[in-house]
C-alpha cells in the first residue's frame, strides 16, 4: 500500500478528497498526521497550477512522501473570472466562508442586472508530486453553473451555497443543497480526481 499525504488544512477539501480516493489501495493522510508543527505555504501564484505545485512540493520536501495538493476556486464571467485564485481571500486574508460569500454578493450587486444569471464555474487543479524527483502530474476539473445572490443550503463549504451547478437533473439546487454523493459525482474536484485515478490506480 502506498501512502499519500493531502497538502491542505481545509477540512472540507480533505473530506471530499478522501471520499473520492476511496477504493484505491492508498493510505490517505492529512498534513497534521505527518508534520507535527505549524506548517503553512503562502499561495502567492497567479494560477491554480502554480499554487497547487508549490503546495505539493513544499509538503513532499518536508514529509518525504507522495503528496497531493489542490488549488481551486470560483470564476465568475461578469467579474472577469474573479475571484479565481483569490477565492479563499476575497474578503481578506483569513476570511471565513460567510465573509467571502458576502463579499461576492456585494460585488455582483453592483453589476448590471442584464448579466444575470451570473454564469460561473468552479475550477480545480490537482498536483501530485513524488518526493526527491519532483515528478509532477497535473490534472484539472471544471464544473459549470451560475451564481445566485442569496445563500441556500448548509452542506459543503466555500461558495457552495451560492453556486447552482449544471447537470443536476430536475432542480436548481445549489452545491450546498446536494448530498455528498451527488456533489462527488459532478464537482470540479470529482472531475479532476477521476483523471488522477488513472495515475494512482497502478500504484495501488
Amino acid at each position: 500500500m502506498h501512502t499519500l499525504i493531502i497538502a491542505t488544512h481545509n477540512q472540507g477539501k480533505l473530506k471530499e478528497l478522501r471520499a473520492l480516493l476511496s477504493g484505491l489501495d492508498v493510505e490517505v493522510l492529512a498534513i497534521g498526521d505527518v508534520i507535527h508543527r505549524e506548517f503553512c505555504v503562502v499561495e502567492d501564484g497567479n494560477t491554480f497550477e502554480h499554487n497547487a505545485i508549490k503546495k505539493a512540493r513544499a509538503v513532499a520536501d518536508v514529509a518525504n512522501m507522495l503528496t497531493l495538493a489542490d488549488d481551486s476556486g470560483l470564476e465568475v464571467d461578469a467579474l472577469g473570472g474573479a475571484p479565481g485564485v483569490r477565492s479563499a481571500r476575497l474578503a481578506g486574508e483569513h476570511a471565513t466562508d460567510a465573509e467571502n460569500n458576502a463579499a461576492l454578493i456585494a460585488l455582483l450587486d453592483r453589476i448590471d442586472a442584464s448579466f444575470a444569471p451570473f454564469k460561473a464555474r468552479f475550477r480545480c487543479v490537482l498536483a501530485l508530486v513524488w518526493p526527491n524527483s519532483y515528478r509532477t502530474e497535473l490534472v484539472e476539473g471544471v464544473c459549470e453553473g451560475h451564481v445566485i445572490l442569496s445563500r441556500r443550503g448548509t452542506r459543503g463549504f466555500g461558495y457552495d451555497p451560492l453556486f447552482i451547478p449544471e447537470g443536476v437533473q430536475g432542480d436548481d439546487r445549489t452545491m450546498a443543497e446536494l448530498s455528498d454523493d451527488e456533489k462527488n459525482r459532478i464537482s470540479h474536484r470529482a472531475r479532476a480526481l477521476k483523471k488522477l485515478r488513472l495515475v494512482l490506480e497502478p500504484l495501488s
Side-chain angles (χ1 to χ4, degrees), residues 104-121:
L104 179 63
I105 291 170
L107 287 173
L108 291 174
D109 267 337
R110 303 172 195 160
I111 302 290
D112 189 315
S114 64
F115 280 92
F118 297 106
K119 184 170 176 56
R121 69 206 50 80

Side-chain angles (χ1 to χ4, degrees), residues 47-54 71 85 123 125 127 138 140:
T47 65
F48 295 122
E49 292 86 353
H50 183 138
N51 286 331
I53 292 171
K54 182 178 182 181
D71 198 45
V85 294
R123 187 179 305 276
V125 172
L138 276 176
E140 180 181 272

Side-chain angles (χ1 to χ4, degrees), residues 6-19 29-33 97 156-158 180 183 189:
I6 307 295
T8 184
H9 293 290
N10 184 311
Q11 294 304 305
K13 287 185 180 183
L14 184 61
K15 178 184 176 184
E16 283 188 13
L17 287 168
R18 276 185 158 145
L29 300 177
I31 289 178
D33 296 326
D97 288 348
F157 60 96
D180 290 346
K183 182 180 179 181
R189 202 162 286 111

Side-chain angles (χ1 to χ4, degrees), residues 38-130:
E38 186 173 341
F39 187 84
C40 183
V41 180
V42 177
E43 299 179 40
D44 54 1
N46 293 322
T47 65
F48 295 122
E49 292 86 353
H50 183 138
N51 286 331
I53 292 171
K54 182 178 182 181
K55 287 187 286 186
R57 286 183 175 176
V59 173
D61 275 347
V62 174
N64 195 34
M65 294 169 56
L66 183 66
T67 301
L68 177 64
D70 159 299
D71 198 45
S72 52
L74 180 69
E75 301 171 337
V76 183
D77 288 354
L79 298 175
V85 294
R86 290 198 54 81
S87 290
R89 304 179 297 280
L90 181 61
E93 296 295 331
H94 311 298
T96 65
D97 288 348
E99 289 168 341
N100 284 326
N101 282 203
L104 179 63
I105 291 170
L107 287 173
L108 291 174
D109 267 337
R110 303 172 195 160
I111 302 290
D112 189 315
S114 64
F115 280 92
F118 297 106
K119 184 170 176 56
R121 69 206 50 80
F122 275 126
R123 187 179 305 276
C124 167
V125 172
L126 296 176
L128 183 68
V129 170
W130 278 253

